[in-house]
Each structure stands twice: as structure tokens, then as C-alpha cells.
Amino acid sequence: DKAKALELKAEGNKHYAAGRYSEAIDLYTKAISFDATNHVFYSNRSACYVGLGEYEKAYKDGESCIKANPTWAKGYYRKGNALFLLRRYTEAVAALTAGHKVDPSNSDIESRLAEANDKLREQPASEKYKDLSPADRAKAIGND
């Protein structure tokens, strides 16, 4: 029932605006149970998880948002922002770059992408490339 889902979202938005993130999460989760195809529900819940410092859940909802609507740039922001907060800067840059391609005029994406790139440059090579194989790590470091 999409109408019920939208009612729950509207109620969730009120809680979000008041900083009651847990209550908002419950309502967005219920909205998703009525309409799992609405990307905005995942986006809003992702923002709530960020407010609670639950960045891994925020990241997962960012992914769900993109899956539901890959042409909506804000989903990439949600995912990229959560990855940034998780200090997974390489992945954050990738997500935010994808979002920038969807909407080059999105200033939130643009500024977070710049911050993520700055963090990436500041990271020691051992951190920056820790997920790469030894051979790929050596190649990447040689290219820095």
C-alpha cells in the first residue's frame, strides 16, 4: 500500500526534523515494508543512521537507495557520505564520483568528494592501499 507508506514517511520526516532518529528509522522501516521500491525511504533512513553514528547501516541503505533508483544522485551521496564517515575514503571517492556523473551540479556531492580526495591524499600509503594485493599495492605506490 503505497499511500500508507507515504503517510509513514511523512511521520518519519517529522521525527527526523526533531532529531528523533530512532523513531524516524522505525517509521521509514515500516514504510519500506509497504513499498520497498521507493528509494527515498532508504535515503531518509540512511540519514537517520548517520545521525545516530551507525555508519555501516547508513552505507547499506545508501546502497539500497541506489539499487532502487540508480539515476537519483542523492543515493550516491548517502552511500559516499557513510563510507567517508567509516574512513573508507577510496570507496567513498568511487561512490561520490558515480553520483557526480549522475548530477554534476550537486553541491553536497561535490564538497564531500573534495573532502574524501583530501583525506585520501593525507593517508599514508600503507592505509590507502591496504585492501590491495602486494603486487597491486607496489604498483599503486609506484604511481603515487
Side-chain angles (χ1 to χ4, degrees):
D1 183 344
K2 292 183 189 242
K4 178 68 176 165
L6 291 172
E7 284 175 36
L8 290 162
K9 174 191 158 243
E11 200 58 36
N13 290 351
K14 291 177 192 169
H15 286 284
Y16 176 80
R20 294 188 299 270
Y21 303 126
S22 294
E23 292 86 343
I25 287 167
D26 290 342
L27 290 159
Y28 296 137
T29 301
K30 286 178 186 162
I32 290 166
S33 75
F34 284 102
D35 180 9
T37 65
N38 190 319
H39 59 282
V40 177
F41 302 160
Y42 297 104
S43 174
N44 291 5
R45 191 170 69 177
S46 177
C48 291
Y49 283 131
V50 166
L52 292 175
E54 295 185 38
Y55 306 135
E56 190 63 40
K57 289 180 180 178
Y59 158 70
K60 287 182 177 152
D61 271 350
E63 290 232 297
S64 296
C65 180
I66 293 166
K67 190 173 180 184
N69 186 351
T71 64
W72 195 57
K74 198 172 197 175
Y76 296 91
Y77 174 79
R78 295 290 187 219
K79 177 181 176 180
N81 184 52
L83 287 164
F84 179 89
L85 294 166
L86 287 164
R87 298 178 182 185
R88 290 162 55 183
Y89 303 121
T90 303
E91 292 169 88
V93 166
L96 293 162
T97 299
H100 190 261
K101 286 177 183 167
V102 171
D103 181 4
S105 67
N106 186 306
S107 60
D108 289 335
I109 290 175
E110 209 169 285
S111 62
R112 191 49 121 186
L113 180 57
E115 288 177 281
N117 274 313
D118 287 346
K119 290 288 189 185
L120 211 47
R121 278 191 288 277
E122 293 167 12
Q123 270 189 332
S126 60
E127 277 297 301
K128 201 185 308 188
Y129 306 116
K130 68 180 179 194
D131 296 329
L132 298 178
S133 72
D136 286 342
R137 187 178 314 120
K139 191 186 320 177
I141 291 169
N143 290 334
D144 258 4

